[in-house]
Amino acid sequence: MRPPITLLQVLSASIIFSSASALNSQDLRQPSSLRTPEAPNHASPATVNEYHTEYYFHQLIDHENPSLGTFKQRYFFSDQHYRGPGSPIVIGTPGEKSADGYHADLTEGSIMSAMLENWGAAGVVLEHRYWGKSSPYDTLTAKNLTFLTVNQAIEDYKYFVENVDLPWASGGLQSTPSVTPWVNIGCSYPGLLVAFTQEKYPDLFAAGYASSAPVNADGDFWEYWEPIEEGMPKNCSADLSEAVAHIDKVLSTGTTIEVKALKRKFGLQVLANDDFAYALQYPLNTWQDLQADTYSRELTSGFYKFCDTIETKADNTINMDVRGVGMPLALENWAKAFKASARYKECRSILPACFSTANPKAEKFTVKEVLDQHSRAWTWMLCTQLGWFQDSSIVSSQVTPAYFQRQCSNYFPPARDHIASDFSDPIGKFNRQFEGWNIMAERLFVVNGQFDPWRSVSLSPLWMDRYPELNIEDILDIHVIPNATHCWDYRLVNGELDPNVKKVQTKALVRIREWLQDWYTSHPDVPNNLSNAAGISGKENAAGATLNNISGAHATVSTDLKDTFEANLVDTVEAMAVMKGWEDPSRFPETPESVPPEQ
């Protein structure tokens, strides 16, 4: 996702989350060897639509007042695998970002491409209103952003599938939901849209697929950090908690000299306390961007490099003790890691502007272009509906909901009647409207990762076991992937590396195919062109290199794993097991309960 410099980057995602989406960066779009021969391509190259061509649909600006007119909403389309009239159509959106590059989801590497091949379906990538080339207005003033809401986005889906004239290569074909089964898919914020659309319009889509979907708005989302703290190396989390406690004590009760000395360690002496504390959330908020293939491709990650630095002892060796290196070394190492980061190096010459949120006239608050770098449109949604602002034991308590509320007012000063004095009113209204955890959608396949930071506002919150009366999992088709973080199921390469991911991906294809068959049963006049088999085929590899259950730091594991990869001697999981001294190196725990004792 994006680096944590502006308000919305605290959510970085899909969702800032950016998020969200977990497919935010093009370097993650690696071609996958997981092709699907069960779904042969029956279309010849001469008749296949060019999937990278941009198309436009005249979408209503305001679904409650159609007289306001329309805007052009961009989409990409592929009928490469389409088996003819009556075959399914799969639709998805990148969500809170431009759709540039997301046409690749139609062809390879994504769960969408697997669906298209398995079911002989056509595919649509629909750009979200107010992003990319799909904004009703050129400037994002508070007045113009009035029509950027979750409900308007849901209505965009409905109006699109009921009215679009798709550019079929073989000529005009009908595609309305009465004669074609549509499947709606999304990860992160787009998964939220899928879940809410499936509940509001149960007959519009034959099925929905919602991955890492944060369905519950929350103005004080401290739970965001819980899965990170649980999943990260235990020595690193122990040291960070101790260092954060020290930072908070100095900022709250220290003398002016002590506060300045602390900030000077990190090269941030010009920042206010809350801006200083927020700057230190990087790179902790990159955890959600870790994928199963991150380690296998790069043999490390920014997050684990950070922990390696935290756990470096005075003799320059890496501490493997779960208790950490302790204070004050943990704080000194943290400062060293921060000042060595690319983000600090980029910002050092323009401090305090790069991190400061105190000046309402700063560029980040005043730029109103659609394609701006400060995510103004997404900030509007966070401030007026979703919240999701975060604090915890591994980040400073100086970062509070009030810190983000101030920024909301800085972003949208003309709209103070739109921005509540606190988040409780708009968030309460949002959760009452869309029901949050109480959603009762039909034919909705839900996926989450065990260590996904967004899990506690999703449909499989960490605390759900304490409230069995909710029966969420009995009502919805919910699957939690062991050791996974955000949107792992959305990329086929993750299933190639981790059998738990592949298991869920295959379940999704099978389960949704059953729902499609149900749709055809209730629509006997529509041709049923589904194949007889469903699943993801391809080379089977061992479980992926998630380091969530490794209590020691990552550097020594990284060095030895590199050798084993290059020599092609053992798989990633076996190598990690050997480094940890587990009795059975061929066994990798599938649940936290089965993790071997800490060494």
Side-chain angles (χ1 to χ4, degrees):
M1 309 253 158
R2 309 175 181 101
I5 293 189
T6 65
L7 164 65
L8 76 109
Q9 289 160 331
V10 70
L11 310 170
S12 209
S14 192
I15 292 178
I16 281 192
F17 296 128
S18 168
S19 298
S21 328
L23 299 179
N24 297 332
S25 57
Q26 293 303 306
D27 64 317
L28 295 181
R29 296 181 173 281
Q30 302 296 323
S32 171
S33 62
L34 291 178
R35 307 308 291 160
T36 316
E38 302 93 88
N41 175 16
H42 293 293
S44 68
T47 61
V48 170
N49 211 300
E50 292 293 334
Y51 65 90
H52 52 75
T53 302
E54 295 180 353
Y55 300 97
Y56 290 88
F57 173 74
H58 290 282
Q59 184 64 264
L60 295 176
I61 295 175
D62 182 4
H63 292 277
E64 298 178 1
N65 182 14
S67 65
L68 284 182
T70 63
F71 67 96
K72 290 183 178 180
Q73 188 170 28
R74 179 170 60 157
Y75 69 96
F76 298 99
F77 173 76
S78 174
D79 53 5
Q80 178 183 6
H81 303 289
Y82 191 65
R83 295 198 181 108
S87 296
I89 302 175
V90 181
I91 185 172
T93 177
E96 71 284 13
K97 59 187 69 66
S98 167
D100 289 347
Y102 279 84
H103 56 72
D105 284 350
L106 298 168
T107 58
E108 61 183 355
S110 71
I111 190 66
M112 173 183 273
S113 66
M115 292 174 174
L116 303 189
E117 292 188 48
N118 273 275
W119 305 330
V124 175
V125 174
L126 181 66
E127 190 167 61
H128 196 292
R129 59 169 53 211
Y130 285 87
W131 273 277
K133 299 180 180 180
S134 301
S135 181
Y137 302 101
D138 294 332
T139 57
L140 301 182
T141 63
K143 179 180 179 181
N144 289 346
L145 285 166
T146 301
F147 308 108
L148 177 56
T149 65
V150 167
N151 195 60
Q152 292 284 358
I154 291 172
E155 296 300 324
D156 284 349
Y157 277 128
K158 183 175 187 294
Y159 193 74
F160 181 89
V161 302
E162 290 181 339
N163 294 280
V164 68
D165 184 11
L166 292 171
W168 302 101
S170 58
L173 298 173
Q174 288 187 316
S175 62
T176 59
S178 61
V179 296
T180 299
W182 286 74
V183 177
N184 192 8
I185 71 171
C187 161
S188 199
Y189 165 66
L192 170 154
L193 294 177
V194 171
F196 291 160
T197 303
Q198 201 66 12
E199 178 174 54
K200 185 174 183 179
Y201 297 113
D203 298 324
L204 187 64
F205 291 95
Y209 180 96
S211 174
S212 296
V215 297
N216 203 70
D218 191 342
D220 187 6
F221 184 27
W222 56 267
E223 300 95 335
Y224 176 89
W225 303 100
E226 283 191 323
I228 301 176
E229 189 169 4
E230 180 184 350
M232 68 189 293
K234 303 307 178 188
N235 50 3
C236 189
S237 62
D239 279 327
L240 287 179
S241 294
E242 193 173 354
V244 165
H246 172 79
I247 290 171
D248 280 349
K249 181 178 180 180
V250 172
L251 295 179
S252 300
T253 64
T255 65
T256 301
I257 294 176
E258 289 172 333
V259 171
K260 287 185 177 180
L262 172 64
K263 295 177 181 178
R264 189 174 292 110
K265 285 182 184 291
F266 293 85
L268 299 175
Q269 58 270 23
V270 295
L271 293 183
N273 287 358
D274 49 9
D275 287 329
F276 167 71
Y278 182 66
L280 298 189
Q281 289 187 2
Y282 181 82
L284 293 176
N285 51 8
T286 66
W287 171 267
Q288 73 175 56
D289 300 332
L290 294 175
Q291 297 287 302
D293 74 322
T294 301
Y295 194 85
S296 63
R297 285 189 295 111
E298 303 172 9
L299 299 177
T300 188
S301 71
F303 188 96
Y304 285 107
K305 285 181 179 179
F306 171 71
C307 278
D308 288 345
T309 302
I310 296 294
E311 296 307 310
T312 300
K313 296 187 289 187
D315 61 2
N316 210 36
T317 60
I318 302 296
N319 166 62
M320 302 295 285
D321 190 310
V322 296
R323 292 170 295 183
V325 297
M327 288 288 289
L329 184 55
L331 184 67
E332 298 294 334
N333 287 345
W334 189 351
K336 177 181 177 181
F338 183 80
K339 288 192 288 187
S341 69
R343 177 51 55 203
Y344 178 74
K345 291 177 181 178
E346 291 172 2
C347 290
R348 182 172 51 188
S349 62
I350 54 173
L351 288 173
C354 193
F355 293 111
S356 177
T357 62
N359 181 10
K361 296 183 179 179
E363 177 183 303
K364 70 180 71 177
F365 299 126
T366 57
V367 171
K368 297 181 177 62
E369 284 75 11
V370 174
L371 299 177
D372 76 288
Q373 62 179 330
H374 303 300
S375 305
R376 185 178 181 85
W378 185 236
T379 303
W380 172 266
M381 298 193 76
L382 300 180
C383 293
T384 59
Q385 289 195 290
L386 302 173
W388 293 330
F389 303 123
Q390 306 138 6
D391 53 46
S392 151
S393 64
I394 57 173
V395 296
S396 174
S397 61
Q398 292 283 327
V399 181
T400 66
Y403 174 71
F404 300 107
Q405 183 67 66
R406 184 185 73 214
Q407 293 180 66
C408 288
S409 297
N410 287 347
Y411 269 102
F412 308 108
R416 296 193 184 275
D417 57 327
H418 294 280
I419 305 296
S421 57
D422 62 60
F423 295 112
S424 59
D425 288 344
I427 286 173
K429 180 180 179 180
F430 180 89
N431 287 333
R432 287 191 297 273
Q433 178 181 2
F434 294 105
E435 300 186 82
W437 293 308
N438 298 314
I439 188 172
M440 299 285 287
E442 299 177 0
R443 302 180 308 282
L444 179 66
F445 193 92
V446 178
V447 184
N448 277 106
Q450 178 186 353
F451 297 117
D452 186 350
W454 296 95
R455 184 175 173 183
S456 288
V457 288
S458 75
L459 289 167
S460 53
L462 290 171
W463 44 260
M464 188 172 63
D465 292 342
R466 300 198 296 269
Y467 299 92
E469 65 273 13
L470 292 179
N471 297 320
I472 297 177
E473 289 184 327
D474 295 335
I475 298 170
L476 300 174
D477 203 331
I478 297 176
H479 306 265
V480 177
I481 303 174
N483 304 304
T485 59
H486 198 60
C487 297
W488 275 26
D489 52 301
Y490 228 64
R491 302 176 61 237
L492 298 186
V493 68
N494 289 333
E496 185 178 54
L497 291 165
D498 189 330
N500 291 315
V501 177
K502 185 172 182 179
K503 181 180 179 181
V504 169
Q505 291 171 334
T506 304
K507 279 184 177 180
L509 294 178
V510 173
R511 187 73 178 107
I512 296 176
R513 182 182 180 278
E514 293 173 351
W515 288 332
L516 288 169
Q517 292 287 19
D518 291 343
W519 187 93
Y520 285 115
T521 299
S522 63
H523 296 75
D525 295 334
V526 178
N528 183 348
N529 301 316
L530 288 178
S531 62
N532 292 324
I536 301 176
S537 67
K539 180 180 178 182
E540 289 282 1
N541 289 328
T546 66
L547 298 180
N548 297 318
N549 295 317
I550 293 182
S551 62
H554 161 66
T556 55
V557 179
S558 173
T559 300
D560 290 341
L561 277 179
K562 185 176 187 295
D563 294 336
T564 58
F565 268 109
E566 293 175 348
N568 195 28
L569 295 176
V570 294
D571 64 36
T572 306
V573 171
E574 289 174 343
M576 286 193 293
V578 170
M579 293 304 102
K580 286 298 294 175
W582 295 348
E583 293 182 1
D584 182 1
S586 65
R587 174 177 171 273
F588 186 74
E590 291 190 352
T591 65
E593 289 76 15
S594 61
V595 177
E598 301 293 350
Q599 303 298 311

